[in-house]
Amino acid sequence: MTDRHHLLVHGGTFAAVGDGGDISGVRGGSSPDGLFVRDARHLSRWQLTVDGAVPEALTPVADGDTARCVLVPRGGRTEPPACTLFREQAVAEGAFVEALRVTSNRPTPTTVRIAVTADADFTDQFELRSDHRTYAKTGVVRQRQVLDDGVEFSYRRGEWRSCTTVTSEPAPDGVEETGTGARRLVWTLELEPHGSAELALRVAARPHGAVVAPRVPLSPAAANEQLLELEGEFAEGVPFPTGWPELAAACARGLSDLAVLQVPATGPDGEELRVPAAGVPWFLTLLGRDALLTSLFALPYRPGLAAATLPALAATQATETGAGAVAQPGKIVHEVRHGELAHFGQVPYGRYYGSVDATPLFLVLLGAYTEQTGDTAPARRLEANARAAIGWMLDHGGLTSRGYLVYRADGGGLANQNWKDSPGAICSADGSRPTGPVMAAGAQGYAYDALRRTAQLARTVWDDEVYAALLEQAAADLRDRFQRDFWMSEHGFPALALDGDGRHVDALASDAGHLLWSGLLDKEYGELVGRRLLEPDFFSGWGVRTLAAGQPAYHPMSYHRGSVWPHDNALITLGLARYGLHDEARTVAHGLVDAATAAGHRLPEVLAGYGRDTHREPVPYPHACVRESRSAAAPLALLTAVGGA
């Protein structure tokens, strides 16, 4: 988000408001504002005026779970403002609440006219992206109904129904039409000398499919109490390092973010679950890869995330082939969407399977959860799902026919289907893109780990020694093939990928660190890779760059070709520790923790790749998710890798 938008998040609901608490509803740009629930904008305007004019922010909204600001009518030095407005806002599940206190600054009675212009355009988030796409929406019916204490906005398209209800206490003196579809709620406040009046405004969003209306808190303070209780419960019992207070603070901040980034999901038997969403503003939904990595990072401290993520992904596992969604039997979902465009098939992301690595990561998490907790119930319950996932890797995934997990560009979805999924992210050192099917290095490491961990489940939980031996042999063969085919002896480093003809995609990339995490490389190769990742062209001082500087393809402001990703570095740190490179692991961990400390102890989704030697503060990446579950969980992975060192 831009600096002018401030995020309030609770579960599947978030609001983006400006410095003065307003929502403008302007389309376009990289960060639209509004109140969003289940991929739709349920408030597209929320604009306060005083005596017909927009007040100025004396104290603008600051970061936090509650948006607070102080406003005054615009004026000059010789004419002090007649009143001061204290505005407080918060969100809850499906709800937005505001408390507005208007205080007179005059020694005589004063009349103040307050108005809030509200609208709900119910725009799908995909329509708000800056990709210039348009979507036909025929038969749409919009209605506005004035209530005794506010107004209700409703939207209908075929069987699709959504509504937003705005109410206030006291009730507005009137609800005016604006000529634009928005409605203006107005109050005429009679203030005693230096007296005050308060307005309580509540917004309830009922997205399509909601059975009951949300429970709207009575005030922002009540909503904030809910959040604080939730965040406190989530952090309780985690052993924060006493000798490294900055890491402890980053862990605490991350756990607080994870607490509010939990969204509803459904298990195989229809049970209700809460799983980690990917991040805000664009991905407040279940993304397979993101939820799996988040759950893996948090596993030693919050195993409940894994216990919810595994059945939620099992429930959405593909059972048949679907070309538009890139679905194949046994494949784990990449993205789940609940919006109007997904519902009507205008975007493929209702259930979209364009990920080569979510399926092996599902198996890695299932095995790791069983090993970490000793709880075999999920492995028993999800045995069929795990076997189907192995079947996908061997069959449709390409392990049997090509020797590696393979993906092909999806014309209607993602060109790249590993974690670096932006166009051009998988490239050679000169920036050229591979042709034909792609075999990304990191995914092969995940596959190796998945085969080994599932073999252990087969032997110890499912009592199937034959299947265990088969998977162990497949893992050993993959390891031998990989080191033969991917290793670039001239660089002492593995290729980023192989192209359709088996040629090296030779960019030097951080994905090699994922191979340490999965244990795919022999010790000698692993140590070479680990030390190479700490050279100055890779390590910026804040973390390992996605692409080593000095290559023609490198750009410090590229999403995946030179930036620094905290979750990527968390995997690298765990891998360095696995190979006994503890000094290197501590170096990366300290860089990340320093970056978090510079930003209020919160790690963003991604940072620019500029070096610490020339830039004394980490440079933000302009379009990063401010709260992202993998980054929120990354400090926990650092704690696992290096302890309190």
Side-chain angles (χ1 to χ4, degrees):
M1 304 297 287
T2 68
D3 290 340
R4 296 186 59 80
H5 289 165
H6 306 271
L7 288 175
L8 307 172
V9 189
H10 189 151
T13 301
F14 79 92
V17 301
D19 284 342
D22 277 353
I23 293 168
S24 68
V26 175
R27 295 199 181 199
S30 61
S31 54
D33 54 0
L35 172 68
F36 294 86
V37 184
R38 289 175 70 87
D39 300 328
R41 184 158 66 177
H42 278 260
L43 266 187
S44 54
R45 282 190 71 183
W46 190 256
Q47 295 178 307
L48 173 68
T49 58
V50 182
D51 294 329
V54 176
E56 64 177 317
L58 200 61
T59 303
V61 171
D63 289 337
D65 293 330
T66 302
R68 297 183 179 90
C69 60
V70 181
L71 311 169
V72 292
R74 297 179 184 273
R77 182 177 298 178
T78 60
E79 186 181 352
C83 64
T84 303
L85 299 94
F86 300 87
R87 198 176 195 184
E88 189 172 350
Q89 300 164 325
V91 297
E93 289 277 12
F96 175 86
V97 288
E98 174 168 332
L100 180 66
R101 179 162 51 92
V102 185
T103 298
S104 170
N105 297 322
R106 291 179 172 171
T108 58
T110 302
T111 300
V112 180
R113 187 176 188 269
I114 299 294
V116 173
T117 302
D119 199 4
D121 62 6
F122 301 101
T123 301
D124 192 291
Q125 274 195 276
F126 282 93
E127 297 178 84
L128 296 171
R129 297 192 178 193
S130 55
D131 57 8
H132 308 296
R133 297 187 187 186
T134 58
Y135 301 90
K137 299 168 74 171
T138 58
V140 167
V141 177
R142 301 176 186 271
Q143 294 179 314
R144 292 92 177 167
Q145 180 183 356
V146 176
L147 309 174
D148 291 340
D149 56 353
V151 61
E152 182 171 272
F153 302 91
S154 61
Y155 178 92
R156 184 173 79 250
R157 177 187 173 194
E159 72 275 15
W160 185 268
R161 302 282 195 280
S162 298
C163 77
T164 298
T165 305
V166 179
T167 59
S168 74
E169 185 180 340
D173 298 322
V175 178
E176 302 173 348
E177 294 192 17
T178 63
T180 64
R183 294 295 184 265
R184 184 181 297 114
L185 288 70
V186 296
W187 298 261
T188 300
L189 305 180
E190 303 290 346
L191 302 180
E192 297 293 328
H194 297 292
S196 296
E198 296 186 0
L199 303 176
L201 296 106
R202 303 182 183 99
V203 180
R206 188 179 296 183
H208 178 74
V211 179
V212 297
R215 298 181 62 181
V216 183
L218 293 176
S219 66
N224 194 45
E225 286 178 9
Q226 292 179 9
L227 278 178
L228 289 174
E229 183 178 355
L230 180 65
E231 292 171 358
E233 290 175 354
F234 211 76
E236 187 175 356
V238 174
F240 296 137
T242 56
W244 192 356
E246 294 83 3
L247 176 57
C251 289
R253 178 70 268 177
L255 285 164
S256 293
D257 283 348
L258 287 175
V260 301
L261 285 172
Q262 305 300 297
V263 295
T266 304
D269 298 321
E271 70 273 24
E272 295 181 358
L273 303 166
R274 306 286 294 184
V275 298
V280 286
W282 296 113
F283 300 102
L284 196 61
T285 189
L286 175 62
L287 266 64
R289 178 193 304 120
D290 297 63
L292 289 161
L293 288 173
T294 299
S295 299
L296 279 160
F297 291 165
L299 182 58
Y301 315 99
R302 282 291 170 264
L305 291 181
T309 295
L310 288 164
L313 292 175
T316 54
Q317 187 176 31
T319 57
E320 57 188 24
T321 299
V326 204
Q328 294 163 332
K331 203 173 186 184
I332 295 298
V333 74
H334 170 62
E335 185 171 353
V336 177
R337 288 288 182 175
H338 305 282
E340 175 188 356
L341 298 181
H343 176 83
F344 287 103
Q346 292 176 276
V347 296
Y349 303 109
R351 285 189 182 180
Y352 180 66
Y353 294 85
S355 166
V356 72
D357 48 16
T359 306
L361 285 171
F362 172 81
L363 295 165
V364 171
L365 180 60
L366 182 62
Y369 174 87
T370 307
E371 179 182 349
Q372 179 80 40
T373 66
D375 177 12
T376 61
R380 295 182 186 280
R381 182 190 185 194
L382 303 179
E383 178 181 354
N385 303 95
R387 289 178 181 264
I390 289 288
W392 176 82
M393 290 202 307
L394 295 174
D395 185 7
H396 296 285
L399 276 183
T400 300
S401 60
R402 299 297 299 260
Y404 299 107
L405 292 184
V406 179
Y407 69 82
R408 295 165 178 80
D410 174 24
L414 295 171
N416 286 311
Q417 294 166 30
N418 64 323
W419 85 264
K420 291 177 176 173
D421 58 4
S422 61
I426 302 302
C427 64
S428 296
D430 63 5
S432 60
R433 305 183 187 186
T435 58
V438 174
M439 291 155 273
Q444 316 315 320
Y446 306 159
Y448 171 77
D449 199 13
L451 290 166
R452 293 180 67 252
R453 289 184 183 273
T454 309
Q456 182 68 8
L457 292 178
R459 178 171 289 114
T460 61
V461 180
W462 305 335
D463 195 25
D464 191 338
E465 180 61 38
V466 173
Y467 192 55
L470 184 153
L471 298 183
E472 286 174 338
Q473 186 61 53
D477 292 345
L478 174 58
R479 181 172 180 149
D480 291 343
R481 280 195 306 275
F482 183 91
Q483 296 187 145
R484 179 192 70 217
D485 296 343
F486 275 77
W487 192 255
M488 301 185 296
S489 55
E490 68 275 22
H491 296 292
F493 207 77
L496 173 58
L498 302 181
D499 69 8
D501 294 322
R503 293 173 300 208
H504 289 157
V505 180
D506 64 355
L508 303 183
S510 63
D511 302 57
H514 297 215
L515 305 176
L516 306 182
W517 175 63
S518 60
L520 181 59
L521 298 177
D522 288 343
K523 183 174 178 58
E524 178 185 357
Y525 284 171
E527 290 176 349
L528 283 173
V529 167
R531 295 191 175 100
R532 180 67 182 85
L533 290 171
L534 270 293
E535 293 294 324
D537 57 346
F538 260 122
F539 186 64
S540 74
W542 308 111
V544 176
R545 298 179 176 99
T546 47
L547 216 62
Q551 302 174 93
Y554 168 78
H555 191 302
M557 296 293 285
S558 169
Y559 197 50
H560 286 127
R561 283 164 55 161
S563 54
V564 172
W565 285 67
H567 94 271
D568 182 30
N569 278 263
L571 289 170
I572 291 169
T573 306
L574 289 167
L576 291 168
R578 176 173 185 160
Y579 277 75
L581 300 172
H582 298 294
D583 289 342
E584 289 82 357
R586 282 189 288 270
T587 297
V588 178
H590 276 276
L592 277 184
V593 170
D594 289 349
T597 303
H601 305 292
R602 174 181 283 142
L603 285 169
E605 173 193 22
V606 55
L607 293 163
Y610 294 106
R612 193 170 183 171
D613 54 343
T614 58
H615 300 273
R616 299 182 65 179
E617 297 290 332
V619 178
Y621 179 82
H623 309 296
C625 286
V626 177
R627 297 195 192 186
E628 203 237 20
S629 62
R630 292 175 301 179
S631 292
L636 299 175
L638 303 182
L639 181 59
T640 300
V642 303

